[in-house]
Amino acid sequence: MTKPLKIDFVSDVVCPWCAIGLKSLEQALDRLGDSVAVEMHFQPFELNPQMAPEGEDVVEHIARKYGSTPEQIAKNGEAIRQRGAAVGFTFNLDKRNRVVNTFDAHRLLHWAALEGRQAELKQALLTAYFTDGRDVSSHDVLVEVAGKVGLNPVTAREVLEQDRYALDVRAQEQFYQSQGIQAVPSVIVNDRYLIQGGQPPEAFEETLRRIASEA
């Protein structure tokens, strides 16, 4: 019997472990095959909600936020690159110069969900930022990426310039914060089970099989 799995993937588009976690989750779901029927929703979380529109240099930001040295940043970056490669995601962190504000990206993702293209846009934004080094706070970049995944670029620009869905995104962010979500990725299954972090595919698979057996 096919078991239903409702998955809320709480994440940010400038979070490297969210890119890794999403690829791992997708591989786990592929392994589960037809044994589960998945309903996936991407929920907003801002790693840096107070980030200024112009963003901040990546190295300066990480050093200030975490106290990391350039050597530690380079070492962590290589670990992330290797973990990404293992699940099929390409990190070109040398192209990523700035940490940016992601609120507009989350507004566009909210709209994309209404258009049935949220998963495609999520993947494309992660690739734009981490693989291609694009500025995912730029309206021009967001509109271009939206168009590439089959969304109407004219409507996408209207969404961004008219501040649509701002209240909806704020409400969702506040809801998950009220539920104790303080780090991402956080994967909530069937509104009951929480899986945190960029787990390997095997860990996701094991947990999802157990949840499905209890559904």
Side-chain angles (χ1 to χ4, degrees):
M1 181 183 296
T2 300
K3 299 296 182 70
L5 288 181
K6 174 179 178 283
I7 298 178
D8 290 290
F9 192 91
V10 187
S11 61
D12 200 354
V13 297
V14 295
C15 162
W17 292 104
C18 295
I20 292 168
L22 180 56
K23 284 293 188 182
S24 294
L25 175 62
E26 289 174 341
Q27 289 186 13
L29 291 173
D30 284 343
R31 295 174 187 178
L32 291 174
D34 295 336
S35 65
V36 295
V38 179
E39 177 188 332
M40 179 89 79
H41 305 274
F42 292 94
Q43 306 294 356
F45 185 99
E46 291 179 81
L47 287 176
N48 303 289
Q50 307 305 321
M51 180 62 65
E54 66 272 15
E56 186 178 1
D57 177 83
V58 166
V59 175
E60 292 177 3
H61 173 79
I62 295 175
R64 178 181 57 78
K65 188 172 183 178
Y66 302 106
S68 304
T69 65
E71 292 76 18
Q72 290 171 326
I73 293 171
K75 183 178 179 181
N76 291 339
E78 177 59 20
I80 287 169
R81 188 195 65 76
Q82 292 181 11
R83 281 292 305 275
V87 292
F89 188 89
T90 301
F91 284 99
N92 292 319
L93 296 180
D94 56 319
K95 294 184 178 181
R96 180 197 59 160
N97 297 317
R98 302 189 73 75
V99 177
V100 298
N101 188 291
T102 57
F103 186 67
D104 286 346
H106 287 300
R107 288 196 297 114
L108 203 64
L109 282 163
H110 185 93
W111 167 65
L114 303 177
E115 299 292 318
R117 289 281 188 276
Q118 192 185 39
E120 294 89 341
L121 183 60
K122 181 72 171 185
Q123 289 281 13
L125 289 173
L126 288 167
T127 298
Y129 184 67
F130 285 113
T131 306
D132 303 330
R134 306 292 301 278
D135 177 0
V136 292
S137 68
S138 161
H139 285 190
D140 288 342
V141 170
L142 291 172
V143 168
E144 178 187 334
V145 173
K148 287 182 177 178
V149 299
L151 290 160
N152 187 317
V154 175
T155 309
R157 190 170 294 278
E158 291 174 353
V159 167
L160 294 168
E161 294 183 353
Q162 297 175 13
D163 209 31
R164 293 184 194 173
Y165 308 115
L167 293 178
D168 302 88
V169 172
R170 291 290 185 219
Q172 286 299 94
E173 288 179 334
Q174 291 168 8
F175 170 77
Y176 286 102
Q177 289 172 10
S178 74
Q179 298 299 301
I181 302 300
Q182 298 180 354
V184 288
S186 289
V187 182
I188 303 166
V189 185
N190 291 347
D191 299 316
R192 292 182 57 194
Y193 306 91
L194 174 64
I195 310 170
Q196 288 194 298
Q199 303 289 340
E202 296 75 18
F204 276 120
E205 180 185 2
E206 179 182 354
T207 303
L208 292 174
R209 285 192 186 280
R210 175 171 50 79
I211 293 171
S213 70
E214 298 172 359

